[in-house]
Amino acid sequence: MNRKLTVLVASAVALLLSACNSLTSIVGVAMDTPEAWSKVQEIIDKNVDASTWKLVSLEMNQEPGKGKELNNDLYYCSVVMVDKDGAAWQQAFFLNGIVGDLSRYREGTDFSTTPALDVKTLTPEAYAKQIEEAKKLIPTDYKFECVETYSLDNMVEEGSPKCRFNFNITEKDAKPVSNAGRTVTEYYEVPFVVDEQGVVTMLEE
């Protein structure tokens, strides 16, 4: 089991106000479903021109921020791409259509020999199977809450897993504690890796 963390959930009134101010972020694509990977493939196909860029790394994420740590909805994906000169660039694509600024990644490093990452080699069904296999590794007294991140990275050192993802989980019998209009829920961040044969392993730290 990895780091023990806490999530603070504000009062119902505060949550309602927050929701009213961020309706464009509500997309409803659960991170543990085939639809999440289908959406990522769609985003890459639309935004990454293979004739200009070589995709080498991708990470999909839930929405960041306090009180959102147990939210299982896909919010954005970030990529690292290499141009024809071997320079790497990073950019984020959000499900509501917003495209982040393009910026250099590890300036001065030549990535021309880094192999391209083809997101279509992993099917939505295979992605969902990895997530379900990981759920089976969670101790029986804990329950799955969300996929925090999922990444495929061809820039890792040789022999290191290219596929990694994190779950946030909670104890089944744990009860939230309320204080001064806030509810505190303890959760655990659990990392997994997937090897070249598709075997999912929970990491112990």
Side-chain angles (χ1 to χ4, degrees), residues 48-124:
V48 180
D49 184 352
S51 66
T52 303
W53 300 103
K54 177 176 63 175
L55 180 69
V56 295
S57 180
L58 176 148
E59 182 176 279
M60 53 192 291
N61 297 266
Q62 61 167 190
E63 184 173 4
K66 286 290 186 182
K68 300 175 182 178
E69 292 90 345
L70 302 184
N71 185 341
N72 193 40
D73 284 348
L74 174 62
Y75 188 63
Y76 73 97
C77 67
S78 58
V79 301
V80 177
M81 307 173 290
V82 177
D83 62 24
K84 293 182 179 180
D85 295 323
W89 301 78
Q90 57 187 355
Q91 194 166 28
F93 305 105
F94 296 80
L95 264 69
N96 59 12
I98 294 175
V99 176
D101 293 335
L102 185 67
S103 61
R104 283 295 300 272
Y105 179 83
R106 296 185 191 174
E107 192 166 355
T109 303
D110 185 359
F111 290 93
S112 58
T113 60
T114 304
L117 174 64
D118 184 357
V119 297
K120 292 184 179 179
T121 59
L122 178 66
T123 66

Side-chain angles (χ1 to χ4, degrees), residues 8-11 177-184:
L8 292 177
V9 181
S11 66
V177 178
S178 297
N179 183 29
R182 294 189 172 212
T183 300
V184 179

